[in-house]
Amino acid sequence: MKNPGLLLLSIILFMVIGCNPDDEILQKRFQNMDESADDPTELFNDDMANTELDPFGGKEICGQVIEKSLLGHGNFIGGSLFIANTEDKLFFKFIPVEGWLISEVNLYIGNLEDIPASQSGNPQYSEFLNTQIYDPPLPEVSVPINLSDIEIKDDGSITIVARTKIINNNEEVSVVKSVLAEWDDDLLFLGPRRGGGFYYEIQSCDIDPEASALNGDPASGSEDEVLVFNYCGVEPPELELKNKKNDPTQVEVLGIIYLSTDEENMNFDFSLEGDWKIESIHVNVGEFDQDQYNPAGTVPIGKYDFGESYVSAMAATIDVPYPFDVPLVEMVEELDNECAIFYIVANLTREIIQDDIVITESQAVSVAWSNDLSASSRQRGGSISGGSQGSSTPGGGSQGSGSPIQGSVEPASVELCLQACVDE
C-alpha cells in the first residue's frame, strides 16, 4: 500500500496548482523534471567513482564539456559547473567543493536584458524559470533542459546565468553561501550586484568529413590516407604563458609552451610552474572568421579552431610537459610564407589551503594579452574588465571605440613560422 502521507501531500499540491494555474512560483519547482524520462535521476549516472572521468555519465556529448568555476564573495570558489549538450538536450552539472552541499539552483537562459530583476537591475534569482530547492541538500545536482525549449541565436550561442546556494554543515553553525558561475566581462548585471552571465556555444554533433577522410573512412574513398609535411621546427621554439590581469604589473609567467613539428602535427607541449594543472586548451590559427564572433564583438574560446577540455585537470610539469597537437593539414591554408598568427589560451587550476579550507583557484593564461598586442575583438577594443556592459557615449570607453581600450585583457595573437627541413 502506498504511503498515505505522501499520497495526501500529492493531493494537496495538485489542488493548490490546479486552483491557481498562474502560480509560477509553485509550478517552476517542478519545471526541470524531464517528462521524457521515467525518473529524472536516470538522465545522469551519479556514480561518484565516475564523476571525475565523466560528469555526464557516458552520454553522447557533442564537442567539448565546458567548465565554469562557482564564485562567491571574497574570491571564494565554491565548486564547478559543467555544461554540455547532445543533439537534443542541454545539460548542467553542479559539483560543490568538498564539505559543501547544494540547497538551491537557479538557471536563466535568454537575453540578459530580459532577466527577472529588481528596479535597481539586480537579478531576482528566485524568479528564474528553472529554479529548484533541495531539502535535504545534495552533494551534486544535474539539470537537463530540452534544446527545443531554448531560443538559440543565429551564431549558435545562448546566454546563461547560473547561480546556486551551497551549505556547509560541518561546523557548529551552518554556513550558507551564494555562488555564481564565472561570468563574461561583457555580460555584467545591469544593477550594482557583482556578477553576470556567460555565453555558451551549442556544440555541433556533426562529424568532420576531413577528419573522417584522414582516418581512412571508407566513405571517403581512401584507406589510411595520411599527408606528410616537410617541416622540422617552429620559430620561436617556445613561448611564455602569462596570466590574465587588469594591471600589467601583476602579470606572472605560469608556464612555457615548447613548439615543434612532426610529419603530421604541430606540437604544443605545455609545462607549468608549481601545482598548476590544465583544465582546457584552445588554439586558433589565423585571424578569426566572421562566424566566430559573438554579438558583443569578441570570440569565446569555445569558438577557437582547436580545443580540448579535461574534466580531470591534466598535470603539466616542467619536466613532463602535457602535449597538445594540431594537425598540419587543417592549418596550411592559413600559412603565408610558412608563417601565421596564433591565438593560444589555456585555463589552469590548482588547489590551495585558505583558512584551513581547500579551495580551487583558477587562472586563464595566454601567450599574449591585448595590452601587449592587438585584441581579439574585431573592434580591437576587447572588453573592459570590471566596467559596465557598454556605453555608446563618444569617447566613453565603449566596446566599439576603434582602438585598444586601457585595461583590456582579451587574448591576443603572436606570429609563428614553420621551419622547412634542410636536406644535408
Side-chain angles (χ1 to χ4, degrees):
M1 181 175 179
K2 292 184 178 179
N3 187 324
L6 181 60
L7 180 60
L8 178 60
L9 177 61
S10 300
I11 293 173
I12 293 172
L13 285 174
F14 176 80
M15 292 175 63
V16 171
I17 296 175
C19 293
N20 186 8
D22 296 326
D23 191 349
E24 293 184 1
I25 299 298
L26 287 174
Q27 290 181 358
K28 70 187 176 186
R29 299 296 183 233
F30 305 92
Q31 165 109 4
N32 61 344
M33 306 288 281
D34 191 314
E35 296 178 357
S36 66
D38 295 333
D39 182 347
T41 60
E42 292 180 4
L43 291 167
F44 295 92
N45 175 5
D46 285 326
D47 180 358
M48 291 303 292
N50 295 328
T51 296
E52 292 186 358
L53 297 177
D54 182 2
F56 298 103
K59 302 192 74 64
E60 293 295 329
I61 297 300
C62 301
Q64 305 175 41
V65 175
I66 304 301
E67 181 178 1
K68 291 282 187 179
S69 296
L70 296 171
L71 308 177
H73 289 291
N75 297 322
F76 174 79
I77 299 178
S80 295
L81 168 62
F82 297 93
I83 313 107
N85 67 269
T86 61
E87 287 188 352
D88 57 356
K89 290 186 182 296
L90 178 64
F91 295 108
F92 298 86
K93 190 150 194 173
F94 296 82
I95 301 179
V97 292
E98 186 176 356
W100 294 79
L101 300 172
I102 295 176
S103 62
E104 183 174 341
V105 162
N106 316 100
L107 281 170
Y108 173 80
I109 303 174
N111 294 325
L112 207 60
E113 294 79 8
D114 300 326
I115 194 171
S118 63
Q119 290 184 346
S120 65
N122 287 330
Q124 299 289 85
Y125 297 121
S126 63
E127 299 301 317
F128 286 8
L129 191 58
N130 293 286
T131 289
Q132 184 70 43
I133 296 174
Y134 305 95
D135 188 10
L138 301 177
E140 61 180 61
V141 167
S142 302
V143 181
I145 296 177
N146 293 324
L147 285 177
S148 58
D149 296 334
I150 300 172
E151 184 176 348
I152 302 173
K153 297 178 181 179
D154 292 340
D155 64 356
S157 69
I158 56 176
T159 299
I160 300 170
V161 177
R163 178 256 197 175
T164 182
K165 281 185 179 179
I166 58 175
I167 183 170
N168 186 340
N169 281 325
N170 294 335
E171 302 179 14
E172 295 182 1
V173 179
S174 296
V175 177
V176 178
K177 286 184 178 290
S178 172
V179 289
L180 194 69
E182 185 178 1
W183 53 90
D184 295 343
D185 292 335
D186 54 349
L187 285 177
L188 301 178
F189 292 141
L190 298 178
R193 180 172 290 173
R194 175 176 177 263
F198 62 89
Y199 292 110
Y200 175 79
E201 309 289 338
I202 300 297
Q203 305 289 295
S204 173
C205 298
D206 297 333
I207 299 175
D208 185 352
E210 291 186 10
S212 298
L214 291 174
N215 290 329
D217 188 340
S220 69
S222 62
E223 184 175 352
D224 297 329
E225 179 183 355
V226 176
L227 298 179
V228 177
F229 295 88
N230 191 35
Y231 296 123
C232 288
V234 181
E235 181 61 38
E238 61 184 62
L239 295 168
E240 293 179 335
L241 284 169
K242 303 173 183 178
N243 60 353
K244 176 180 178 179
K245 293 292 183 181
N246 295 332
D247 183 354
T249 63
Q250 297 180 3
V251 171
E252 301 173 280
V253 176
L254 300 185
I256 296 174
I257 301 178
Y258 298 101
L259 304 161
S260 60
T261 60
D262 55 38
E263 292 182 339
E264 301 174 28
N265 302 300
M266 182 170 175
N267 316 123
F268 299 78
D269 292 333
F270 288 75
S271 65
L272 303 179
E273 299 285 352
D275 300 325
W276 291 103
K277 293 183 178 180
I278 299 177
E279 285 187 324
S280 65
I281 295 172
H282 305 272
V283 175
N284 201 87
V285 185
E287 291 286 0
F288 295 115
D289 297 328
Q290 186 69 24
D291 59 1
Q292 291 177 280
Y293 289 95
N294 61 29
T298 58
V299 178
I301 57 176
K303 282 285 192 176
Y304 280 38
D305 292 334
F306 308 95
E308 189 73 37
S309 296
Y310 310 100
V311 175
S312 270
M314 307 303 295
T317 65
I318 297 296
D319 296 329
V320 185
Y322 181 78
F324 181 84
D325 296 337
V326 172
L328 289 168
V329 69
E330 297 187 31
M331 54 176 282
V332 289
E333 291 185 359
E334 298 292 344
L335 295 177
D336 182 10
N337 292 325
E338 314 305 334
C339 298
I341 65 169
F342 285 75
Y343 294 87
I344 306 171
V345 182
N347 290 317
L348 310 184
T349 183
R350 69 176 177 182
E351 291 186 345
I352 60 176
I353 299 177
Q354 190 174 84
D355 298 329
D356 296 327
I357 298 177
V358 177
I359 64 174
T360 301
E361 181 183 4
S362 299
Q363 287 275 3
V365 293
S366 175
V367 294
W369 296 99
S370 58
N371 49 19
D372 297 328
L373 297 174
S374 60
S376 63
S377 168
R378 56 184 156 187
Q379 288 97 356
R380 288 294 182 260
S383 59
I384 308 174
S385 295
S388 65
Q389 284 184 274
S391 168
S392 59
T393 304
S398 69
Q399 289 181 324
S401 62
S403 60
I405 298 175
Q406 185 68 27
S408 172
V409 284
E410 287 294 316
S413 66
V414 295
E415 184 177 65
L416 301 176
C417 296
L418 303 185
Q419 305 294 301
C421 297
V422 179
D423 296 330
E424 295 183 358

